[in-house]
Every structure is written in C-alpha cells, then in structure tokens.
Amino acid sequence: MTTTTLHPGKDGAGVVRRTVLPGGLRVVTETMPTVRSVAVGMWVGIGSRDEAPEHTGATHFLEHLLFKGTPTRDAMEISASIEGIGGEINAFTAKEYTCYYARVLDEDLPLALGVLADVVTSSLITAEDVESERGVILEEIAMHDDDPSDVVHEAFSAALYGDSPIGRPILGTVDSINELPRERIVEYYRTYYQPPRTVVSVAGNVRHEDVVELVARAYERAGALSGATEFAPPRTSGPGAETHSRVRVVDRPTEQANMVLGTTGMTRTDDRRFALGVLNAALGGGMSSRLFQEIREKRGLAYSAYSYTSAYADTGQFGIYVGCLPTKIDDVLKICRDEVLRVVAEGITEEEIARGKGQMRGGLVLGLEDTGSRMSRIGKNELVYDELMSVDEVLSRIESVTPEDIGEVARDVLSRPLTLAVIGPYGDKDFTPAIA
C-alpha cells in the first residue's frame, strides 16, 4: 500500500491524497473540513467506446443492473439505505468511463462506501433483472429519441466518427439491447470491473486514513484486494477514432429544426485546450458570445444557440448547436459558417478574450463549491490524467492564453473539414454546399 499527497492544500483544507491498495485499487480524497457532507464516487475506466460489436450497450446496461441486487442487499435496500438518511445515490455512463456515486452526511460515510462497494463488486445480475432492465432501457432509448435536441448530438457523433465505437450512442440501440444476452453482460462485468481499473474518490469532511480503511474493508469482504499495487494507466488512445466529414439529415416532421455543425477538437491532454476553451467561450459560450448575439439577439432566428467542446483520450469535438424554425435553417447555417471563417481569418478581440477568460475562471471556481463537484474532479482526474493540477494552476493556464495562442488554435481546429447533423422536415434536401 502506497500513499501520496497530490496537493498540499491550504490551512488544512483542500488536501488531496492518494493511496494505492493491493490489487491496484486507488483511493483519492480531498478534505473540506468546513462542510457537513461527503460525496463518494466509484469510477470504473470502461465506457461505451470500449464495447465490441457484440457488447454494444453493455456498459450502460450494467449501470442499471448493478443497482438491482447483491448477495446482501436487494434493489429496495440499496436505494432505501441511502435515501433513508437523506442522501442520494445514482450513476452515469460516458464514452470512456462509468461512475457510481452517492452524497450523504459525513457521519454516514461508512454506509455510503459500503453500499457502493457492494454494488460495484458483487452485483448478482440475475436473468430476471436483465429482462426487467431491458424493458427499462428500451423505454429510456424511446424517451431519448423523442427529443430531437438530444438525437442531433448523437447524429453528429455518428457522422463525425462513422460506425465506430466512439461514434455509437452510449445507450446502445433498440436492436443491440434486444439482442444482448445475460451471458455477455456478465462476461463484460467480470472482465472490466476490476480493481486496477477502479478509482474511489471521496470529498468532504473526511480523514484520508479513515476512508482508506473503510474502502479496504469493503473490498476485502468482496475478495477483491490481492496482488501488487499496479493500476491501469490513463488511456492515451482508443478504438475507432477515425474521423469523417459528412452530412447526416434525419427527416422528421418536427416544429423546430435542430442542427450541430462542427469538427474534431483537442484531445483532453493537449496543452492548447485552454486556448480552445477561451475561443469557445467567445464564439458561443454564453449570451454575450458572437453566435448568440448574431443569431438570437440581432436577428431573432433562434431561441437556443451555443458552441461546445468535448475531449477524449485521442480525439475531441468542437460543435455549434442551434434550434430554429425549419424555414430559417439556411440563414442560421450561413451565419455559423461565416462566423467560423471570420474567426479563422481575424481571430477574436481583446475584449472577447478577457470575457472568455473570465467565463472560464468563474465557471471553474463556482463549479467547485460543493462536495460532489470536488469528488468528480479528483476522481476523473485520477482516472484519465497523469497529474492533478491545482485550481490555481488551472486558473494560471487560462490567464496565460494569448491572442496568438487563440489564433493558432482557430486556424487549426476551425479550418478542419466540417461535419453537419440536422433533424427536421427536410426530406432529401442537400446541405452539402452549406459546409463546403
């Protein structure tokens, strides 16, 4: 067992420590002595992009199944044990990891850790539960498919990455969920839900030593601690990240058209990601951004208009989303295209840079005001990065971004071939000229 201080904190607060237990299980904590709550997360380094074709949808399927029961708790006991003390328990699945989390009073930390460890290590995954949750997931897919503003982002990923693991929907498809047998789900669970791929992160009014003892005890009960303290390193690549430039139109009789125009972005470890963040904030990151002002405030063409970035181990996305009347899609597309070209040619102003930096700084600091966000930061960081940057270090990196940095990033990212996804009543309309 080895323990390392990742960040010393100040005045006893904000200390981040990591202990690696036998079997490669990592425990990271951040002390927040002025609060009365604790957030616990169990991060597993497996996401939907890791699925082979025969396992499509298995990662998210497991997110549901692990709450259905263990040898010591049934589904009701799992939820009632946390909700009965005023806490919350849930999970989410992403492209490259899955997280099971709870938030409770500090005095209830032993219970929260015990329940989550039980869920993650000892799920029964019975045939009855698989069939029950199969129906629930199909309902979730149907609900998702009824929201064009959700579907358009999936359509964009599919157009950008093609029929590859990272381009497929996290939920899976109706066909893949219907065809996924229990045996393959169990195989997936036993292969990937192992200590070397797992990080337990805890933030709040805690002592690191107490957390480590509780985690070790819970995992020992499950027989999951053995071997050397070696853990899986952060992933630096992934299957199927080849990109494409194409147009995908989903013809639907909707009252509003939904579109995403974009291209590949930065990997999550690219040093230029801070410059891209400032550029994104200026271009479409808020009500004062160029796109919002031009599309909504000046011309009244849409209610919602924004840009965004997503980052993965070996690729990333930059996208512009707009929801507008179907008759206005051509005007909106032209504005988006013109603004992208203008930023590439001219960059952004000093005022926009200052505003973008302020937006990033405020978003970072304000987003870390609670135990849940702190837990997520240290847990995700331990899973996917080589080092933990302090908040001050991140703020310094944002502040050091120069106009030249932004110009270089704009010329790189925004000059790449564009991909477009559109959902609306368009039949066989050809949007290809709009992004040429």
Side-chain angles (χ1 to χ4, degrees):
M1 185 171 71
T2 58
T3 299
T4 307
T5 298
L6 302 178
H7 191 270
K10 297 178 181 178
D11 302 323
V15 180
V16 181
R17 299 175 69 191
R18 175 184 67 194
T19 293
V20 186
L21 294 170
L25 178 68
R26 285 164 284 174
V27 181
V28 291
T29 66
E30 180 169 357
T31 55
M32 301 173 65
T34 60
V35 302
R36 287 295 311 277
S37 67
V38 174
V40 181
M42 297 205 169
W43 301 74
V44 184
I46 189 74
S48 62
R49 74 172 300 184
D50 298 298
E51 297 165 349
E54 66 270 19
H55 290 123
T56 299
T59 313
H60 175 255
F61 214 137
L62 278 175
E63 177 201 317
H64 283 244
L65 288 170
L66 266 58
F67 288 107
K68 297 298 287 183
T70 71
T72 57
R73 296 176 175 91
D74 62 24
M76 180 62 179
E77 289 170 324
I78 290 169
S79 58
S81 62
I82 301 298
E83 293 177 356
I85 57 174
E88 59 177 311
I89 184 169
N90 212 329
F92 64 86
T93 306
K95 296 279 189 180
E96 296 182 329
Y97 48 82
T98 309
C99 178
Y100 301 81
Y101 63 91
R103 187 165 179 258
V104 297
L105 298 180
D106 50 13
E107 63 195 54
D108 295 317
L109 172 64
L111 176 62
L113 274 171
V115 170
L116 284 176
D118 193 24
V119 162
V120 171
T121 64
S122 305
S123 178
L124 294 175
I125 312 183
T126 67
E128 181 182 1
D129 288 338
V130 168
E131 294 312 311
S132 172
E133 288 307 303
R134 194 188 307 277
V136 172
I137 293 169
L138 291 173
E139 290 293 336
E140 185 177 358
I141 292 173
M143 179 179 69
H144 174 80
D145 286 348
D146 279 343
D147 188 344
S149 63
D150 283 344
V151 176
V152 73
H153 289 283
E154 285 190 354
F156 175 71
S157 289
L160 186 64
Y161 296 117
D163 185 23
S164 66
I166 199 169
R168 296 175 193 141
I170 291 173
L171 300 183
T173 65
V174 171
D175 288 343
S176 73
I177 296 302
N178 276 324
E179 295 169 4
L180 195 58
R182 174 184 178 273
E183 292 73 22
R184 284 188 187 152
I185 299 172
V186 172
E187 172 192 43
Y188 195 79
Y189 174 57
R190 291 176 177 167
T191 300
Y192 293 112
Y193 275 63
Q194 298 295 328
R197 291 179 176 268
T198 304
V199 172
V200 180
S201 63
V202 179
N205 187 22
V206 298
R207 290 178 67 251
H208 181 76
E209 295 81 3
D210 295 340
V211 174
V212 171
E213 182 180 349
L214 289 167
V215 173
R217 193 183 307 157
Y219 269 74
E220 283 169 354
R221 280 197 299 267
L225 289 187
S226 63
T229 56
E230 296 179 359
F231 53 85
R235 78 168 82 205
T236 56
S237 63
E242 180 181 353
T243 56
H244 307 265
S245 173
R246 60 181 65 172
V247 174
R248 176 164 295 198
V249 179
V250 180
D251 183 35
R252 287 192 181 180
T254 55
E255 295 296 321
Q256 185 183 55
N258 290 265
M259 57 149 275
V260 174
L261 174 70
T263 186
T264 54
M266 302 287 186
T267 66
R268 62 168 162 257
T269 55
D270 194 312
D271 287 338
R272 301 172 298 164
R273 64 188 183 276
F274 301 100
L276 181 62
V278 175
L279 173 60
N280 175 64
L283 184 60
M287 294 175 63
S288 61
S289 67
R290 284 193 183 188
L291 289 170
F292 191 92
Q293 286 292 313
E294 192 67 31
I295 293 172
R296 173 169 165 168
E297 297 297 284
K298 293 181 182 179
R299 308 198 190 192
L301 292 174
Y303 175 76
S304 180
Y306 61 84
S307 63
Y308 66 92
T309 63
S310 300
Y312 307 108
D314 55 339
T315 185
Q317 291 183 14
F318 175 87
I320 297 170
Y321 166 83
V322 182
C324 64
L325 290 175
T327 55
K328 298 179 179 179
I329 191 74
D330 291 328
D331 292 336
V332 167
L333 265 173
K334 185 177 187 308
I335 293 170
C336 293
R337 189 77 175 98
D338 289 348
E339 288 299 325
V340 166
L341 292 173
R342 189 153 70 93
V343 168
V344 171
E346 303 172 9
I348 58 177
T349 67
E350 291 283 355
E351 181 182 356
E352 287 174 318
I353 293 174
R355 200 161 55 233
K357 288 181 177 180
Q359 187 175 334
M360 287 189 70
R361 288 196 305 266
L364 171 66
V365 175
L366 294 175
L368 293 175
E369 291 289 301
D370 64 87
T371 56
S373 58
R374 293 272 179 167
M375 175 277 290
S376 294
R377 178 175 182 266
I378 62 174
K380 180 180 176 182
N381 189 95
E382 177 63 31
L383 198 65
V384 303
Y385 290 102
D386 285 324
E387 62 175 342
L388 173 66
M389 295 177 63
S390 70
V391 174
D392 288 340
E393 288 173 320
V394 177
L395 293 175
S396 177
R397 294 290 295 273
I398 294 170
E399 188 57 39
S400 67
V401 171
T402 66
E404 291 74 24
D405 295 334
I406 294 173
E408 178 188 338
V409 166
R411 288 188 294 273
D412 178 3
V413 174
L414 300 185
S415 295
R416 298 173 186 177
L418 292 174
T419 289
L420 173 68
V422 179
I423 296 179
Y426 294 114
D428 57 358
K429 179 178 171 66
D430 183 12
F431 284 94
T432 304
I435 66 169

